[in-house]
Amino acid sequence: MPPPPTAALSSSSSLFLFPLSSYSSPKKTQLGFCPSFPFTKLTNFTPTRRLMTCSAVSIEKETLISHRPHSFLRETDGLDDGSVRSRFQRMIMEVQDSVCGALEAVDGAGKFKEDAWTRPGGGGGISRVLQDGDVFEKAGVNISVVYGVMPPEAYRASKANVTDQKPGPVPFFAAGISSVLHPKNPFAPTLHFNYRYFETDAPKDAPGAPRQWWFGGGTDLTPSYIFEEDVKHFHSIQKKACDKFDPSFYPRFKKWCDDYFYIKHRDERRGLGGIFFDDLNDYDQEMLLSFATECANSVVPAYVPIVEKRKNTPFTESHKAWQQLRRGRYIEFNLVYDRGTTFGLKTGGRIESILVSLPLTARWEYDHKPEEGSEEWKLLDACMNPKEWI
């Protein structure tokens, strides 16, 4: 089968908050970046989805700090002025706290280690990692606020009407939360979620230029074994969050998720999907802020009850070996198709940040094929042939 349009072009599966490119309509330009690295990338797709433009720019290096600040916003933005920037930052901080608190309660023993940092020109982030707990092998929940500059050619490419105007560098702002959770028990699923907001300002020498903004993100489930009641519960929570805003969102974003997390060389999806969206700005901004908030707040009720139910399920070495093989698939996707990960590895980024989304353990076997009709086969079949769960 031909690969989905997003398979080899984008991903938000790692803990980098912003995919480096995203699926979009042929006439629409995408800009994305990874805040842990000096990078900004713009892609402009033709109807044949051919990469047209590529640009890079530096982002200031982070400085570790001993205590998390109240805000990472620049003073010129206002620390709590009711702007979308301020409210989105507040939301991701609150969600990080609520998710970490819920995960520590489920684990019972593991505690999150926190690293906070800032950048000289504004922005910063908080990384939290729980490792080798009673329930979670590895759980990372990161937030980031980033200020940077788009190169002028990226700005020109993003304009709706081509002109001879040559503006200078365009300032941008982005904030997001991203998480990957790997439980120990093979019957408890891995979870990934990521929600982000992006904005550009007018360049200094083109004050009349329009400000651009968009939202992106999603939540997806990656189990090793299928419990239909669990998958239906997870998808029903995603649909409920979507339906509060637009009944077209869930089917649209569910399919987008199935297409997005596609392992081309295996001809299979990474997991059983959820929702995914990017470059979303064709609705009211206040509505989309509320939508992203609703989705982020749905993570705990969608996921924690499943882990609570499965964390103590007895399992065999064979079950664990299958989980390790599926972890191998997760790693393949991250290292082969996740553009933020591969860019970071090639450019000498902070290795702990680059690989924090990966599990502690994984497994590869030569030419492994589960027996047809087995529970392992059923999972693989669902990854190769996405289903409608609700």
Side-chain angles (χ1 to χ4, degrees):
M1 62 177 281
T6 62
L9 294 175
S10 59
S11 170
S12 62
S13 64
S14 75
L15 290 196
F16 305 129
L17 306 184
F18 309 96
L20 305 184
S21 61
S22 302
Y23 171 76
S24 62
S25 62
K27 295 181 179 179
K28 206 163 194 177
T29 297
Q30 269 298 315
L31 190 151
F33 65 96
C34 166
S36 296
F37 302 105
F39 181 78
T40 297
K41 185 180 183 80
L42 181 139
T43 57
N44 186 14
F45 293 94
T46 68
T48 59
R49 304 184 183 99
R50 182 162 54 93
L51 191 64
M52 298 296 290
T53 306
C54 229
S55 302
V57 69
S58 292
I59 298 173
E60 294 173 322
K61 290 290 291 182
E62 65 272 7
T63 300
L64 288 174
I65 54 177
S66 58
H67 300 287
R68 60 180 294 181
H70 172 70
S71 174
F72 291 105
L73 297 179
R74 290 172 174 168
E75 292 184 3
T76 53
D77 278 344
L79 299 183
D80 193 11
D81 62 355
S83 67
V84 174
R85 294 184 180 191
S86 176
R87 285 182 288 156
F88 194 89
Q89 177 192 238
R90 184 166 63 250
M91 182 273 282
I92 61 177
M93 284 183 163
E94 291 173 352
V95 170
Q96 185 184 44
D97 287 342
S98 65
V99 170
C100 290
L103 296 179
E104 286 186 347
V106 171
D107 193 276
K111 299 295 181 182
F112 280 90
K113 174 186 176 182
E114 178 176 290
D115 289 325
W117 67 89
T118 60
R119 290 187 172 90
I126 301 168
S127 295
R128 290 181 181 170
V129 179
L130 186 160
Q131 187 166 281
D132 202 20
D134 283 354
V135 173
F136 291 100
E137 178 180 293
K138 195 175 185 184
V141 187
N142 291 359
I143 64 170
S144 185
V145 174
V146 178
Y147 293 87
V149 178
M150 291 170 57
E153 59 269 26
Y155 176 79
R156 291 197 301 273
S158 69
K159 297 187 68 175
N161 299 314
V162 179
T163 69
D164 293 330
Q165 184 183 13
K166 296 182 178 180
V170 181
F172 67 79
F173 165 90
I177 182 168
S178 188
S179 175
V180 178
L181 314 175
H182 294 293
K184 289 184 172 180
N185 194 302
F187 296 116
T190 286
L191 182 85
H192 159 253
F193 72 90
N194 174 293
Y195 292 98
R196 56 197 177 272
Y197 174 69
F198 187 96
E199 227 181 62
T200 64
D201 288 325
K204 292 181 179 179
D205 56 353
R211 171 175 289 185
Q212 300 184 35
W213 58 266
W214 61 80
F215 292 85
T219 307
D220 64 282
L221 197 69
T222 307
S224 299
Y225 289 91
I226 296 178
F227 295 91
E228 286 209 15
E229 61 185 281
D230 294 351
V231 184
K232 288 180 178 179
H233 166 79
F234 175 80
H235 277 268
S236 68
I237 297 295
Q238 307 310 304
K239 185 177 186 299
K240 182 179 179 181
C242 291
D243 286 352
K244 287 184 178 181
F245 298 88
D246 191 314
S248 72
F249 278 2
Y250 174 74
R252 175 184 168 193
F253 299 155
K254 191 268 184 188
K255 183 181 185 305
W256 201 339
C257 188
D258 289 336
D259 290 344
Y260 192 91
F261 295 103
Y262 176 74
I263 307 172
K264 180 181 178 181
H265 61 270
R266 298 282 189 180
D267 189 20
E268 64 188 65
R269 275 74 187 168
R270 190 179 70 182
L272 302 186
I275 59 172
F276 177 82
F277 58 90
D278 205 4
D279 190 36
L280 201 61
N281 63 2
D282 49 354
Y283 297 83
D284 177 74
Q285 190 177 35
E286 289 294 325
M287 186 271 265
L288 292 179
L289 174 60
S290 297
F291 173 58
T293 301
E294 182 75 23
C295 290
N297 285 330
S298 74
V299 169
V300 170
Y303 181 63
V304 168
I306 298 174
V307 178
E308 288 277 18
K309 188 186 301 183
R310 306 299 173 190
K311 66 180 182 179
N312 295 318
T313 303
F315 60 87
T316 66
E317 289 185 6
S318 177
H319 294 138
K320 191 66 179 179
W322 175 247
Q323 180 198 43
Q324 298 296 287
L325 287 169
R326 295 311 302 174
R327 293 271 181 81
R329 296 290 204 269
Y330 202 99
I331 291 171
E332 287 178 26
F333 183 88
N334 279 29
L335 297 185
V336 176
Y337 297 113
D338 189 299
R339 301 288 287 276
T341 300
T342 55
F343 180 84
L345 292 173
K346 291 176 181 178
T347 56
R350 183 174 181 264
I351 196 67
E352 299 303 324
S353 296
I354 298 168
L355 300 183
V356 71
S357 68
L358 302 184
L360 291 182
T361 60
R363 180 185 180 101
W364 286 265
E365 292 183 15
Y366 179 75
D367 198 28
H368 182 274
K369 293 183 175 65
E371 180 182 353
E372 186 170 349
S374 67
E375 294 304 310
E376 292 80 7
W377 179 88
K378 291 177 183 177
L379 184 280
L380 184 59
D381 179 66
C383 289
M384 297 181 74
N385 302 288
K387 304 179 184 299
E388 297 299 325
W389 296 101
I390 54 176

